[in-house]
Structure formats: C-alpha cells, structure tokens
Amino acid sequence: MYKLFISLRYLRSRKISFFAIAGVAVGVMTLIVVLSVMNGFDQELRSRIRGTLAHIIILKGGMYGLEDHQHVMEKVKSFDHVVACAPYIEGPALIKLRNRREFVYFKGIDPHAESDVSDFRSYIAPFGNQPEDLLQVHGEKKTASVFGGSELFRLGPGEPEKDTGSFIQNGEQIVLVTLKEWDKISVKAFAVVGKFRSGMYDFDKNYVYIPLAVAQELTGSREKNAVSGISVKLDDYRFANEVRDQLQAALGLEYYVQTWEDARKTFLTAVMMERRVMALILFFILVVAGFNILAILTMIVLEKSKDIGILKALGTTTQGVMSIFLLHGLLIGSMGACLGVAAGLSIALRINWLENVLYNTTGWRPFPPEVYYFNQIPTVVSPTSILITAVIAVVSSVVFSIYPALRAARLDPVVTLRYE
C-alpha cells in the first residue's frame, strides 16, 4: 500500500508529471480520431462503391463486346446463389448542360433490372422518382429521359432535396455526344426527369443514367443486341468468389468475371495501405510520449535520491523501490489513456460539427468532398481499436518506466545519505 501512496504523492508534488500525462493523452486521442475516420472512410467507401456496382460483373472483350446478353443472363441465373441479373452499357460522353460542356460517363440500363442488382432505386427516391420514369419519352420527337448526378446538375450551393433552384430542373434538355462504332459521332438530346444521389461525390459528378435501348442506339450496338456487361446480384456476398470462379469456368476465357472488389482492387488496396501506414506513423506519438515519461521519471529519481536512500535504510527492498516508479509510470499511462479516450471519442463523434464550425468561421474545409468523395466525414468508432490503443499506451508507459525504476533501485543508501 505504501508504494501506491508514495507514487501518488510524487505524481501530485511534481507538476511536470502532468506534461507526461498530456503527452500520452494527445497520442491516444490522435490515434482514436484518425483510426475512427479511416475506418469510416473504408467502410463507407466500400458501401457506396458496392451501391454503384453489383456483387459480380461479367464483361467481354471490347467496350460493347457482350453480344446476345439474354442468352448469357439465362445461363447465369441457373447458378446457385444468383438472384438477379441486369445488362448495361457504359461509356464516355461529352455533355452539354445549358452553357456548360463537360466530360462524363453514361450508363445505359434497364431501370427495373438495375434496381434489383444495385441501389439505383434508393438513389432516385429522395427526389420523388421511380425507376420507370427513365423509360418515359417526351414530345413529338419522343425525346428519351435521363437521370443525372446531383453534383453534375449543380448550378449553385445548397442541398439537392431542398434547394431545387440550385440545380438543373426537370424538363430541361441536355445533349450527349458519344462515339458510335469507334469511327463516328453520335449526338442525341435527352429530357431531364430527375437526379440521383449516391453520396459518392465522384460518381454523382461524372455519371448519367439513360435507357439501355437508347444507349445501344448511341453506340451503334442495337442490331447486335450487345452490351458492355452484365451485373449479377447474389443472395449472400460471402459466396461471391466461389460463384465468380464457377461462372468463369462455365462461360470460358473470352469472358471476364469479377467481383466488385476485383473491379476496384487497386483503389481499395491503396485505402487499406494508407490506413495501416497512418496508424503506424501515429503510433510513434506514443513512443515520443514514452521517452517523455522516461526523462521525467529519471529526473524525479535524481531529485528524490535522498528519499529513496531513507526508504532503503528503513528496510524497503529493491523490488519495492522499483515498484514505486513502475506504479508512477502506470498511473501516468492510465490517466493519459483515459483522458485521451474521452477526448478522442468527443472529437470523433462530433467531427462533422467541428468541420462545419471551422468552415463557417474560416472558409477552409479540411475534407473537401471533391477530393474525398463524401459530402461529410464518415467515422466508425471501433471499441476494439480503442481498447488496443489504450492498452498500448499504458504498456508503453510502464516499459519506459523500467530504466528510471532500475536506476532508483540500484541507489546505495550509504552513498546517498553520506553527506546528508
């Protein structure tokens, strides 16, 4: 009991110990905030990419090389775990919006089939649209319909669901210019029937949905009934790799079967590596805090050498003296970890509010959506990560206390008290 009492007394009497506590707290807080944001980015990114793609994608050589897709779809539907299929055509285009001209991608879809394999329905629902709206034709010229990304149709600041005047209005015409049969240009007007919002800035800024039949006309592939690919939805994504391999074997090497993770493998791997490297780099903040503890405890040992000599003269064992300073390190680490966890959780759970305050005050946005793809900062607080971070902080504090504890334990009470 006396060991804990002396450790607490040293902690209270030496105000410099609170700087060591602050160092541990800052390290723990930073790790929790960064890991929560990186986990949120990873999870939200996967969710939103998955929403724009299907579980499995079937492609063939060439941009519009998958001919007779109905026959392929019937074959694919016969496999276990396959619940829905949807053909699509995807390609680059130049779009004219009022006086703007931008480079975009169009995706020709069967809206009902697409709703079965992706989150297309949920993307358009906030704007009061249904999938069948894409099949409407307008006027005597039978102008086809188009859904555009909310960021692509943006004219000014505001939310697309509320500030409709800041976006291209329904009924307006846009023009798409695309390649046709690789050596011709195809130009076609479309009538805007709605917007979609996936929450992924890059997709909302660069994509439009048009009817599949119209996309086939634009690309010159209608007669061949060709499409870019087939989207496949499974009843459980855990079987994706197994079904992918089965489909690849059945369809042959001329087809390319991949999961959505395969399609975005490079990007997802980069995000994973960034998260790991960031955690490793920030871990060294705790190492710096540990050296701070070592320096402070070493200084306390030098200043309290008389006290240590008296304790040893009164019969305190070497292990007892070591325990006093190890407990001191444990108290610093524990208090720093608790404060760091509290501060880290407070920031992680209110990070979007803090960013809005900073943006409204200074006009600077730390996480611009055009760079990070999201309209707000996603965070996922992992209890396991918090526990591991706190344990590492406490353990490192104790480890860095070993040297000053050994130095204190080796003091000779005779030498220490000779000149007292």
Side-chain angles (χ1 to χ4, degrees):
M1 180 63 69
Y2 76 91
K3 303 169 189 175
L4 179 60
F5 173 77
I6 295 174
S7 295
L8 288 171
R9 185 173 180 179
Y10 284 170
L11 189 65
R12 290 196 304 270
S13 63
R14 300 298 301 168
K15 300 296 190 259
I16 197 170
S17 297
F18 293 105
F19 288 100
I21 294 173
V24 175
V26 169
V28 172
M29 177 194 71
T30 305
L31 267 173
I32 289 175
V33 172
V34 171
L35 288 178
S36 297
V37 172
M38 294 301 292
N39 287 337
F41 266 79
D42 182 64
Q43 182 172 312
E44 195 70 16
L45 192 63
R46 286 175 173 272
S47 174
R48 295 188 181 185
I49 292 176
R50 162 61 194 91
T52 62
L53 299 172
H55 288 155
I56 291 178
I57 304 163
I58 301 174
L59 305 170
K60 197 177 180 182
M63 187 177 293
Y64 315 116
L66 208 162
E67 302 176 7
D68 193 17
H69 65 270
Q70 292 290 352
H71 173 73
V72 178
M73 287 173 57
E74 291 300 323
K75 189 173 184 179
V76 170
K77 287 179 182 178
S78 66
F79 282 77
D80 293 337
H81 305 296
V82 175
V83 296
C85 294
Y88 69 89
I89 286 183
E90 185 174 1
L94 184 67
I95 189 171
K96 180 182 178 183
L97 302 166
R98 294 190 179 180
N99 296 322
R100 292 160 45 201
R101 291 171 177 80
E102 297 188 23
F103 180 78
V104 297
Y105 288 92
F106 68 90
K107 189 168 185 178
I109 60 170
D110 177 339
H112 297 290
E114 185 69 20
S115 299
D116 293 334
V117 299
S118 71
D119 294 339
F120 173 68
R121 185 185 296 273
S122 65
Y123 292 167
I124 62 176
F127 306 103
N129 291 111
Q130 297 296 325
E132 54 267 20
D133 295 342
L134 189 62
L135 301 178
Q136 295 176 4
V137 292
H138 308 267
E140 297 180 357
K141 296 183 178 179
K142 297 188 181 301
T143 305
S145 299
V146 63
F147 283 120
S150 57
E151 297 303 319
L152 178 65
F153 282 0
R154 181 181 291 278
L155 300 173
E159 292 295 321
E161 296 90 343
K162 300 176 183 178
D163 307 304
T164 54
S166 297
F167 298 83
I168 298 289
Q169 300 294 304
N170 290 355
E172 291 192 39
Q173 280 201 352
I174 67 169
V175 177
L176 283 181
V177 181
T178 65
L179 285 176
K180 185 174 184 178
E181 297 177 352
W182 300 104
D183 57 353
K184 300 176 183 177
I185 296 295
S186 182
V187 181
K188 190 171 182 63
F190 292 83
V192 175
V193 293
K195 298 181 287 293
F196 69 84
R197 188 180 191 183
S198 68
M200 189 169 176
Y201 184 90
D202 188 55
F203 190 78
D204 295 341
K205 177 67 176 174
N206 296 299
Y207 271 83
V208 294
Y209 284 109
I210 62 176
L212 180 64
V214 177
Q216 288 175 325
E217 289 181 7
L218 281 174
T219 59
S221 60
R222 190 174 186 182
E223 293 180 0
K224 301 178 182 179
N225 198 25
V227 296
S228 301
I230 297 174
S231 300
V232 181
K233 184 178 181 179
L234 308 180
D235 55 8
D236 193 332
Y237 186 70
R238 290 179 300 175
F239 301 103
N241 291 336
E242 176 185 340
V243 176
R244 176 199 61 194
D245 295 340
Q246 292 175 354
L247 288 173
Q248 186 69 74
L251 295 176
L253 297 178
E254 61 181 329
Y255 292 89
Y256 183 42
V257 185
Q258 57 184 345
T259 66
W260 71 266
E261 289 179 304
D262 295 331
R264 299 292 185 269
K265 185 176 181 179
T266 302
F267 185 69
L268 294 175
T269 302
V271 172
M272 180 185 67
M273 290 299 297
E274 182 180 357
R275 182 177 60 175
R276 292 179 178 177
V277 171
M278 187 72 71
L280 180 63
I281 292 173
L282 292 176
F283 169 75
F284 285 99
I285 296 178
L286 294 178
V287 176
V288 172
F291 279 107
N292 190 25
I293 293 171
L294 186 150
I296 290 172
L297 289 185
T298 301
M299 185 178 65
I300 292 175
V301 168
L302 295 175
E303 290 185 355
K304 299 296 184 180
S305 58
K306 176 184 174 181
D307 295 354
I308 296 168
I310 292 173
L311 286 172
K312 297 194 77 172
L314 291 174
T316 303
T317 63
T318 299
Q319 290 78 11
V321 175
M322 282 191 64
S323 300
I324 292 172
F325 289 93
L326 290 176
L327 276 172
H328 198 165
L330 178 63
L331 289 171
I332 290 174
S334 300
M335 294 177 66
C338 291
L339 291 173
V341 168
L345 287 175
S346 299
I347 294 175
L349 296 175
R350 293 174 176 81
I351 194 166
N352 285 294
W353 178 81
L354 292 171
E355 191 207 21
N356 288 333
V357 170
L358 182 63
Y359 179 64
N360 293 330
T361 304
T362 66
W364 175 61
R365 174 162 283 170
F367 294 89
E370 62 271 16
V371 175
Y372 294 98
Y373 301 110
F374 303 114
N375 295 318
Q376 62 178 5
I377 306 170
T379 56
V380 173
V381 177
S382 170
T384 303
S385 296
I386 292 174
L387 179 61
I388 291 174
T389 302
V391 169
I392 290 175
V394 174
V395 170
S396 65
S397 299
V398 174
V399 169
F400 279 96
S401 303
I402 293 176
Y403 171 75
L406 285 172
R407 183 165 182 171
R410 290 171 180 171
L411 287 177
D412 187 343
V414 176
V415 175
T416 304
L417 300 174
R418 177 177 296 171
Y419 301 105
E420 297 295 336

